[in-house]
Amino acid sequence: MVFRLQIWPDLFFPSPITVAETLINGFQDGSFTLALAVSFRRLLIGFTLAVFGGTLLGILTASFTWADETIGSLILSLQSVPSIVWLPLALLWFKMGEAAIIFVVTIGGTWSMALSVASGIKNVPVILVRAARTMGASGLPLFTEVIIPASVPHLITGMRLAWAFSWRALMAGELIGTGKGLGQMLMWGRDFGNMSLVLAIMILIAVIGSVTDNLIFKRLEITVLRRWGQLPDSAS
Amino acid sequence: MLEIIQVGKTFTKNQKDLEVLFNINLRVPEGEFISLLGPSGCGKSTLLNMVAGLDKPSSGTITISGKHVTGPGTDRVVVFQEAALFPWLTVLDNVCFGLKRLGLSKTETKQKASMTLKKVHLSKFLQAYPHELSGGMRQRVAIARALVMDPQILLMDEPFGALDEQTRLMLQKELEDIYLETKKTILFVTHNIREAVLLSDRIIVLGTRPGRIIKDLRVRAARPRQHNDSNLIYLENKIMDILQVEIEKVAKEELDDDYTLTKDSFPWDPDRDLGSGI
Ligand SMILES: Nc1ncnc2c1ncn2[C@@H]1O[C@H](COP(=O)(O)OP(=O)(O)O)[C@@H](O)[C@H]1O
Ligand SMILES: [Mg+2]
């Protein structure tokens, strides 16, 4: 539609065909694949760190009132800070572009993971804990065998959120930072006035974001919720 | 022998004291099937939880074979109204949950668990997950999970309260069979008069505000019990008369002071439930 109106020259709004060609070429010459590999490496490292760090923070804040009152409220306020804001600080701390971007990605996912884990632990059905205690479970086994598995639905939700936030943080970080990621490629496209490249990468980013969310996390969430009895069984 | 001596329980909520149980004295010999019967809110669950060691009495003591109850223990396992199964474990693993803490070998644990599940007719569902089972089946798993621990006392808190009539009748029958076979002490909480009469050797009728024992009745009828046993029907009516006074008291407090119930208009459902409280 917009294209047909011919309001802007091709330079600003390339035809869908050009964009499709750019996409195909990008994969054929391997430049997109390479950029994807670079970005995913950062994403996976940052996401993994966010999941572990967030889980630890979540457990801590859910287990101790003092931690909840201090760290817990800090996390709440930090969550409203876009994680890209951390990049200047990260660049100062790490000097290196790569570590700084991974740091921003980690920060992006950590807070929502922590909050989900904490609310998961706090919302474990009391009756399950009581049942477990009458069957001789207490202390650490009670925690690892009942409380943690009982909070798995929240954990999955936390991971889904963490992935989405990490992904956004990664793109923001790559636009500003250095390296050969998808975000950086987008910036080159801008620098060289190659709008079809810019659009092709934007499409790639959108597709990857929704595909991972729908194919991995949503499915995982539905499977877990069903087994945990929080979703009605599909006709069976 | 379970001994409950001068036990009282007061909850403090929003800086207000709520006396839930007052001066409860009860001795339950080994092998007795005893029911706690009373209107909902009278403190039945609270009393059962204190025996389980999940709650602490505000006053008095509870002992089992002379030993003070200070916390939960595998000699007293609870079957709750909402089966309270672990949704992430299979039926078999749910039953193994407590068992594997007792130091048995893995094969022994599995064997014992499957045998107990056979007893409650769930052999075909060992690998099923709780969400795939009906309410009645879940409750069977919960019973198997408790039985397999071979507890000294089986504590049951309205275990059939959430089931449909058909399933409830079936499980009541099966529970009696299990009782006759294992001769375990069973402390059974219910607000259903017929259920208490049908299953128990002895019924403790509790009054409300604060919860206290108002009657200690023995059920003299041959086992297995028959629904049309005239002794049971007689007892059922007798308990209804006792409780009518209690329920009227509650109704008067909750509704207008001049609220009265005539016997004919008494709101029993056919099952003689004391309301559907939890
Ligand atoms: N943890 C608690 N804190 C405050 N009040 C409670 C608590 N548990 C139970 N109660 C109150 O104690 C009373 C008895 O409860 P419960 O033992 O569950 O009764 P029942 O099982 O006979 O229906 C109720 O009024 C209930 O609101
Ligand atoms: Mg109750």
Side-chain angles (χ1 to χ4, degrees):
Chain A
M1 264 298 274
V2 183
F3 166 69
R4 296 227 166 164
L5 290 175
Q6 298 280 350
I7 299 174
W8 293 291
D10 266 13
L11 183 64
F12 294 151
F13 231 104
S15 80
I17 299 155
T18 327
V19 174
E21 274 169 9
T22 315
L23 265 173
I24 294 166
N25 285 337
F27 278 108
Q28 270 172 353
D29 70 14
S31 59
F32 280 7
T33 328
L34 186 73
L36 273 175
V38 170
S39 291
F40 261 88
R41 184 173 162 270
R42 293 166 171 166
L43 182 61
L44 285 178
I45 296 174
F47 173 70
T48 310
L49 289 174
V51 167
F52 277 102
T55 304
L56 285 180
L57 283 173
I59 289 173
L60 193 68
T61 50
S63 309
F64 305 101
T65 325
W66 61 263
D68 196 22
E69 282 164 0
T70 53
I71 305 169
S73 19
L74 189 65
I75 289 175
L76 265 177
S77 46
L78 283 176
Q79 204 211 6
S80 58
V81 179
S83 56
I84 191 62
V85 169
W86 289 83
L87 190 65
L89 206 59
L91 285 168
L92 274 178
W93 284 345
F94 297 107
K95 309 278 189 289
M96 213 168 55
E98 190 69 13
I101 290 177
I102 291 176
F103 177 78
V104 170
V105 172
T106 308
I107 289 288
T110 302
W111 312 133
S112 47
M113 187 68 198
L115 291 173
S116 294
V117 170
S119 87
I121 292 175
K122 285 178 192 163
N123 288 307
V124 170
V126 180
I127 191 107
L128 290 186
V129 176
R130 291 186 150 219
R133 286 177 66 207
T134 71
M135 288 183 287
S138 62
L140 194 63
L142 180 68
F143 192 77
T144 56
E145 289 176 47
V146 180
I147 294 176
I148 291 294
S151 9
V152 160
H154 281 89
L155 245 101
I156 302 287
T157 308
M159 284 170 73
R160 193 176 162 194
L161 286 173
W163 180 268
F165 280 117
S166 289
W167 177 241
R168 283 163 177 69
L170 174 69
M171 287 306 127
E174 286 186 345
L175 285 179
I176 301 174
T178 55
K180 291 188 164 57
L182 220 48
Q184 274 111 16
M185 223 170 165
L186 193 72
M187 284 313 270
W188 296 339
R190 193 206 74 142
D191 292 344
F192 294 110
N194 185 349
M195 276 304 123
S196 68
L197 181 64
V198 169
L199 279 180
I201 292 175
M202 280 173 67
I203 290 171
L204 212 55
I205 291 173
V207 168
I208 290 170
S210 66
V211 162
T212 45
D213 190 51
N214 280 307
L215 238 54
I216 303 177
F217 289 103
K218 220 173 192 166
R219 279 194 187 182
L220 198 61
E221 200 170 53
I222 288 174
T223 314
V224 163
L225 284 180
R226 184 163 295 147
R227 176 165 302 172
W228 264 244
Q230 294 171 12
L231 261 191
D233 275 316
S234 53
S236 63
Chain B
M1 173 86 90
L2 160 68
E3 282 180 288
I4 299 171
I5 305 153
Q6 292 181 354
V7 163
K9 178 74 181 175
T10 303
F11 285 113
T12 311
K13 209 172 173 179
N14 309 329
Q15 283 156 17
K16 267 199 288 194
D17 282 354
L18 178 67
E19 189 175 37
V20 172
L21 289 166
F22 171 74
N23 195 28
I24 304 288
N25 288 289
L26 196 59
R27 318 178 88 208
V28 185
E30 221 136 293
E32 191 165 71
F33 194 130
I34 186 166
S35 284
L36 301 177
L37 176 69
S40 64
C42 73
K44 306 181 293 292
S45 298
T46 305
L47 187 55
L48 180 131
N49 285 334
M50 289 192 296
V51 175
L54 294 169
D55 274 339
K56 287 203 179 357
S58 309
S59 58
T61 53
I62 297 175
T63 64
I64 286 166
S65 314
K67 275 194 303 237
H68 280 270
V69 170
T70 52
T74 53
D75 54 337
R76 295 153 277 136
V77 186
V78 186
V79 177
F80 297 96
Q81 178 173 356
E82 325 81 346
L85 302 178
F86 303 121
W88 56 90
L89 296 179
T90 61
V91 165
L92 184 64
D93 288 337
N94 260 286
V95 177
C96 290
F97 181 89
L99 204 53
K100 67 176 190 220
R101 270 156 245 285
L102 300 181
L104 300 175
S105 77
K106 244 193 178 126
T107 40
E108 238 178 321
T109 304
K110 293 240 146 120
Q111 223 167 19
K112 233 174 148 177
S114 341
M115 260 165 51
T116 314
L117 279 163
K118 197 171 171 191
K119 233 186 247 176
V120 295
H121 312 292
L122 282 179
S123 292
K124 278 196 223 142
F125 296 91
L126 301 187
Q127 299 307 324
Y129 284 92
H131 76 97
E132 299 167 314
L133 306 180
S134 67
M137 283 154 90
R138 280 182 214 162
Q139 216 46 273
R140 285 167 197 265
V141 179
I143 291 172
R145 187 173 72 169
L147 276 182
V148 81
M149 303 296 287
D150 196 20
Q152 208 174 330
I153 305 181
L154 187 56
L155 302 169
M156 307 184 91
D157 192 352
E158 306 203 28
F160 310 140
L163 304 179
D164 61 81
E165 187 63 14
Q166 228 63 33
T167 315
R168 182 197 313 213
L169 289 176
M170 203 151 75
L171 280 176
Q172 285 169 347
K173 181 90 199 74
E174 285 178 30
L175 179 62
E176 189 180 39
D177 291 345
I178 287 169
Y179 170 66
L180 289 173
E181 188 192 321
T182 60
K183 272 288 162 200
K184 290 218 170 300
T185 312
I186 300 182
L187 180 63
F188 190 93
V189 162
T190 181
H191 63 248
N192 182 309
I193 303 179
R194 181 166 294 169
E195 182 170 74
V197 168
L198 191 68
L199 290 171
S200 327
D201 298 321
R202 187 178 163 203
I203 298 172
I204 305 298
V205 182
L206 293 170
T208 185
R209 313 201 174 181
R212 73 221 120 75
I213 296 176
I214 51 178
K215 206 82 187 180
D216 185 342
L217 296 159
R218 198 148 285 283
V219 184
R220 295 177 212 283
R223 283 192 194 271
R225 298 272 165 79
Q226 305 297 322
H227 278 266
N228 54 6
D229 188 319
S230 59
N231 288 326
L232 298 187
I233 293 167
Y234 169 77
L235 193 61
E236 207 178 309
N237 287 322
K238 187 169 153 189
I239 294 173
M240 204 161 63
D241 286 340
I242 297 168
L243 277 168
Q244 185 178 0
V245 181
E246 271 308 306
I247 296 190
E248 242 178 273
K249 194 176 103 185
V250 176
K252 262 188 182 151
E253 277 174 27
E254 284 178 355
L255 305 164
D256 297 330
D257 277 344
D258 57 351
Y259 186 87
T260 49
L261 288 163
T262 59
K263 191 162 184 179
D264 299 332
S265 71
F266 209 62
W268 297 116
D269 62 25
D271 201 26
R272 289 177 175 170
D273 247 22
L274 306 176
S276 52
I278 294 168

